[in-house]
Amino acid sequence: MILKELSISEIFHSIQGESSFAGWPCAFVRLAGCGNGCNFCDTTYAETDGFMLEIPDIIMQTQAFRAPIIEITGGEPLLQPAVYPLMQQLCNLGETVLLETGGFLSVDKVDSRVHKIIDLKPPSSGVCERNCPENITLALHAGKKLSQTFEFKIVVASREDYDWAKALLLQHQLYCSCIVMMGVIHEKLEPSTLAEWILRDRLPVRMQLQLHKYIWPLATRGT
Ligand code: SF4
Protein backbone atom coordinates (compact mmCIF):
# COMPACT_ATOMS: atom_id res chain seq x y z
CA MET A 1 0.00 0.00 0.00
CA ILE A 2 1.43 3.42 -0.90
CA LEU A 3 1.75 5.93 1.91
CA LYS A 4 -0.72 8.46 0.58
CA GLU A 5 -3.86 6.37 0.41
CA LEU A 6 -5.93 4.46 2.93
CA SER A 7 -8.55 1.74 2.90
CA ILE A 8 -11.74 3.41 4.11
CA SER A 9 -14.86 1.76 5.50
CA GLU A 10 -16.94 4.94 5.74
CA ILE A 11 -16.70 8.71 6.14
CA PHE A 12 -19.67 10.25 7.89
CA HIS A 13 -21.00 13.09 10.01
CA SER A 14 -22.44 12.25 13.42
CA ILE A 15 -22.45 13.08 17.11
CA GLN A 16 -19.36 11.95 18.98
CA GLY A 17 -20.79 9.34 21.33
CA GLU A 18 -18.12 7.81 23.50
CA SER A 19 -15.32 9.93 24.96
CA SER A 20 -14.73 13.17 26.85
CA PHE A 21 -15.76 14.83 23.53
CA ALA A 22 -19.19 13.11 23.56
CA GLY A 23 -21.94 15.34 22.28
CA TRP A 24 -19.89 17.31 19.76
CA PRO A 25 -20.74 17.12 16.07
CA CYS A 26 -17.90 15.18 14.51
CA ALA A 27 -16.58 14.13 11.11
CA PHE A 28 -15.64 10.45 11.31
CA VAL A 29 -13.17 8.60 9.13
CA ARG A 30 -13.59 4.89 9.73
CA LEU A 31 -10.64 2.95 8.38
CA ALA A 32 -11.16 -0.61 7.18
CA GLY A 33 -9.55 -3.66 8.73
CA CYS A 34 -8.71 -4.77 12.25
CA GLY A 35 -8.52 -8.49 12.98
CA ASN A 36 -8.34 -8.17 16.76
CA GLY A 37 -11.51 -10.22 17.06
CA CYS A 38 -12.99 -8.67 20.21
CA ASN A 39 -16.24 -10.02 21.56
CA PHE A 40 -18.96 -7.35 21.34
CA CYS A 41 -17.24 -5.58 18.42
CA ASP A 42 -19.91 -3.34 16.91
CA THR A 43 -18.02 -2.49 13.71
CA THR A 44 -17.34 -5.95 12.28
CA TYR A 45 -18.49 -4.63 8.90
CA ALA A 46 -15.32 -2.53 8.81
CA GLU A 47 -13.30 -5.73 8.42
CA THR A 48 -14.31 -6.23 4.81
CA ASP A 49 -15.97 -3.18 3.25
CA GLY A 50 -13.00 -1.04 2.26
CA PHE A 51 -12.38 1.34 -0.62
CA MET A 52 -9.15 3.20 -1.36
CA LEU A 53 -8.96 6.97 -1.00
CA GLU A 54 -6.01 9.34 -1.13
CA ILE A 55 -5.23 11.63 1.79
CA PRO A 56 -6.25 14.92 0.05
CA ASP A 57 -9.65 13.41 -0.79
CA ILE A 58 -10.15 12.22 2.78
CA ILE A 59 -9.28 15.67 4.10
CA MET A 60 -11.61 17.35 1.60
CA GLN A 61 -14.53 15.07 2.52
CA THR A 62 -14.09 15.47 6.27
CA GLN A 63 -13.66 19.24 6.14
CA ALA A 64 -16.82 19.52 4.03
CA PHE A 65 -18.84 18.64 7.16
CA ARG A 66 -17.48 21.76 8.93
CA ALA A 67 -17.48 19.84 12.22
CA PRO A 68 -15.53 21.09 15.24
CA ILE A 69 -13.71 17.78 15.57
CA ILE A 70 -12.47 15.06 13.23
CA GLU A 71 -12.12 11.51 14.51
CA ILE A 72 -10.05 8.77 12.93
CA THR A 73 -11.43 5.42 13.96
CA GLY A 74 -11.89 1.87 12.69
CA GLY A 75 -11.52 -1.02 12.51
CA GLU A 76 -8.03 -0.42 13.81
CA PRO A 77 -6.71 2.80 12.30
CA LEU A 78 -3.08 2.27 13.34
CA LEU A 79 -2.73 -0.76 11.07
CA GLN A 80 -2.42 1.49 8.01
CA PRO A 81 0.87 3.42 7.72
CA ALA A 82 -0.74 6.32 5.85
CA VAL A 83 -2.84 7.14 8.90
CA TYR A 84 0.16 8.96 10.39
CA PRO A 85 0.56 11.56 7.61
CA LEU A 86 -3.25 11.89 7.50
CA MET A 87 -3.41 12.85 11.19
CA GLN A 88 -0.37 15.09 10.89
CA GLN A 89 -1.80 16.96 7.91
CA LEU A 90 -5.15 17.45 9.63
CA CYS A 91 -3.37 18.86 12.70
CA ASN A 92 -1.31 21.16 10.45
CA LEU A 93 -4.58 22.51 9.07
CA GLY A 94 -5.61 23.48 12.59
CA GLU A 95 -8.18 20.72 13.03
CA THR A 96 -8.91 19.13 16.41
CA VAL A 97 -8.12 15.48 15.72
CA LEU A 98 -9.18 12.46 17.76
CA LEU A 99 -7.82 8.97 17.27
CA GLU A 100 -9.85 6.05 18.58
CA THR A 101 -7.77 2.90 18.76
CA GLY A 102 -8.42 -0.62 20.01
CA GLY A 103 -5.36 -0.44 22.23
CA PHE A 104 -3.42 -3.47 20.99
CA LEU A 105 -0.90 -1.33 19.09
CA SER A 106 1.40 1.36 20.47
CA VAL A 107 0.49 5.01 19.90
CA ASP A 108 4.14 6.06 20.14
CA LYS A 109 4.33 7.36 16.56
CA VAL A 110 1.08 9.32 16.67
CA ASP A 111 1.44 13.11 16.32
CA SER A 112 1.52 14.55 19.83
CA ARG A 113 -1.24 17.03 18.95
CA VAL A 114 -3.73 14.19 18.37
CA HIS A 115 -6.09 13.35 21.22
CA LYS A 116 -5.69 9.61 21.67
CA ILE A 117 -8.68 7.58 22.90
CA ILE A 118 -7.24 4.18 23.77
CA ASP A 119 -9.29 1.11 24.64
CA LEU A 120 -8.28 -1.03 27.59
CA LYS A 121 -10.01 -4.30 26.81
CA PRO A 122 -11.33 -6.19 29.87
CA PRO A 123 -11.58 -10.01 30.20
CA SER A 124 -15.04 -10.33 28.60
CA SER A 125 -13.59 -8.91 25.35
CA GLY A 126 -11.63 -12.14 24.90
CA VAL A 127 -8.53 -10.13 23.96
CA CYS A 128 -7.53 -8.72 27.34
CA GLU A 129 -4.02 -10.12 27.06
CA ARG A 130 -3.47 -8.13 23.86
CA ASN A 131 -3.67 -4.70 25.52
CA CYS A 132 -0.43 -2.89 24.67
CA PRO A 133 1.28 -2.03 28.00
CA GLU A 134 3.43 0.58 26.28
CA ASN A 135 0.42 2.87 25.91
CA ILE A 136 0.08 3.10 29.69
CA THR A 137 3.80 3.77 30.00
CA LEU A 138 3.64 6.49 27.33
CA ALA A 139 0.71 8.16 29.07
CA LEU A 140 2.38 8.04 32.49
CA HIS A 141 5.64 9.46 31.13
CA ALA A 142 4.11 12.18 28.97
CA GLY A 143 4.57 15.65 30.41
CA LYS A 144 1.65 17.25 32.25
CA LYS A 145 0.34 18.97 29.11
CA LEU A 146 0.76 15.97 26.79
CA SER A 147 -0.80 13.55 29.26
CA GLN A 148 -4.06 15.40 28.64
CA THR A 149 -3.98 14.06 25.08
CA PHE A 150 -4.19 10.50 26.40
CA GLU A 151 -7.62 9.16 27.22
CA PHE A 152 -8.34 5.59 28.23
CA LYS A 153 -11.69 3.96 27.62
CA ILE A 154 -12.87 0.84 29.43
CA VAL A 155 -16.20 -0.72 28.53
CA VAL A 156 -17.29 -3.41 30.97
CA ALA A 157 -19.84 -6.19 30.68
CA SER A 158 -19.61 -7.80 34.12
CA ARG A 159 -18.37 -7.51 37.70
CA GLU A 160 -15.24 -9.43 36.66
CA ASP A 161 -14.49 -6.75 34.06
CA TYR A 162 -15.04 -3.98 36.59
CA ASP A 163 -12.75 -5.60 39.17
CA TRP A 164 -10.06 -6.03 36.49
CA ALA A 165 -10.36 -2.37 35.50
CA LYS A 166 -10.32 -1.14 39.06
CA ALA A 167 -7.17 -3.12 39.87
CA LEU A 168 -5.42 -1.81 36.76
CA LEU A 169 -6.36 1.80 37.49
CA LEU A 170 -5.29 1.59 41.12
CA GLN A 171 -2.01 -0.09 40.18
CA HIS A 172 -1.01 2.68 37.76
CA GLN A 173 -3.02 5.59 39.24
CA LEU A 174 -3.87 6.35 35.62
CA TYR A 175 -6.64 8.77 36.57
CA CYS A 176 -4.09 11.11 38.19
CA SER A 177 -2.63 12.19 34.84
CA CYS A 178 -5.05 11.07 32.11
CA ILE A 179 -8.76 11.05 31.48
CA VAL A 180 -10.29 7.64 32.18
CA MET A 181 -13.76 6.93 30.82
CA MET A 182 -15.73 3.88 31.90
CA GLY A 183 -18.94 2.59 30.38
CA VAL A 184 -21.04 -0.50 29.92
CA ILE A 185 -21.51 -2.83 26.98
CA HIS A 186 -24.93 -1.86 25.69
CA GLU A 187 -27.59 -4.27 26.99
CA LYS A 188 -25.02 -6.43 28.83
CA LEU A 189 -24.72 -4.45 32.06
CA GLU A 190 -27.11 -1.90 33.53
CA PRO A 191 -25.62 1.60 33.68
CA SER A 192 -27.06 2.01 37.20
CA THR A 193 -25.11 -1.04 38.36
CA LEU A 194 -21.82 0.38 37.12
CA ALA A 195 -22.67 3.76 38.65
CA GLU A 196 -23.23 2.10 42.04
CA TRP A 197 -19.88 0.28 41.85
CA ILE A 198 -17.99 3.45 40.91
CA LEU A 199 -19.61 5.48 43.67
CA ARG A 200 -19.20 2.79 46.33
CA ASP A 201 -15.48 2.45 45.51
CA ARG A 202 -14.92 6.22 45.16
CA LEU A 203 -13.25 5.40 41.84
CA PRO A 204 -12.20 8.68 40.16
CA VAL A 205 -13.26 7.83 36.62
CA ARG A 206 -15.79 9.45 34.32
CA MET A 207 -18.77 7.29 33.55
CA GLN A 208 -20.18 7.46 30.05
CA LEU A 209 -22.93 5.88 27.98
CA GLN A 210 -22.70 5.19 24.26
CA LEU A 211 -24.63 8.32 23.29
CA HIS A 212 -25.03 7.42 19.62
CA LYS A 213 -26.80 4.17 20.59
CA TYR A 214 -29.47 6.16 22.42
CA ILE A 215 -29.89 8.67 19.59
CA TRP A 216 -29.97 6.04 16.82
CA PRO A 217 -30.79 2.68 18.51
CA LEU A 218 -31.48 0.90 15.22
CA ALA A 219 -28.53 2.17 13.19
CA THR A 220 -25.84 -0.38 12.38
CA ARG A 221 -23.35 1.99 10.73
CA GLY A 222 -22.77 5.68 10.04
CA THR A 223 -23.15 6.73 13.67
S1 SF4 B 1 -10.26 -3.51 18.22
FE1 SF4 B 1 -12.19 -2.44 17.86
S2 SF4 B 1 -12.63 -2.73 15.67
FE2 SF4 B 1 -11.08 -4.25 16.26
S3 SF4 B 1 -12.26 -6.10 16.75
FE3 SF4 B 1 -11.92 -4.96 18.66
S4 SF4 B 1 -13.75 -3.65 18.92
FE4 SF4 B 1 -13.71 -4.35 16.77
Side-chain angles (χ1 to χ4, degrees), residues 33-44 47 74-76 101-104 119 121 127:
C34 176
N36 204 30
C38 310
N39 297 327
F40 312 123
C41 175
D42 53 8
T43 54
T44 50
E47 286 288 359
E76 175 45 63
T101 169
F104 61 95
D119 277 353
K121 301 286 190 188
V127 292

Side-chain angles (χ1 to χ4, degrees), residues 1 4-12 28-33 45-55 57-59 61-62 71-75 77 80 82-83 86 221:
M1 186 186 297
K4 61 180 186 177
E5 63 177 14
L6 292 113
S7 177
I8 304 287
S9 171
E10 54 183 350
I11 295 177
F12 58 98
F28 286 87
V29 180
R30 186 180 307 288
L31 300 190
Y45 61 88
E47 286 288 359
T48 48
D49 299 349
F51 57 94
M52 301 309 292
L53 212 53
E54 295 200 356
I55 287 175
D57 295 321
I58 298 170
I59 292 175
Q61 289 191 31
T62 53
E71 176 170 318
I72 313 298
T73 185
Q80 299 191 47
V83 75
L86 170 63
R221 59 173 70 197

Side-chain angles (χ1 to χ4, degrees), residues 88-110:
Q88 188 178 43
Q89 288 178 40
L90 285 168
C91 288
N92 290 346
L93 290 166
E95 299 288 357
T96 299
V97 180
L98 316 186
L99 166 73
E100 191 160 347
T101 169
F104 61 95
L105 298 172
S106 172
V107 298
D108 64 335
K109 294 189 177 57
V110 175

Side-chain angles (χ1 to χ4, degrees), residues 157 184-185 187-197 207 209:
V184 295
I185 300 278
E187 295 179 344
K188 290 285 176 193
L189 183 68
E190 283 300 320
S192 58
T193 303
L194 177 62
E196 281 168 26
W197 293 341
M207 185 170 163
L209 301 176

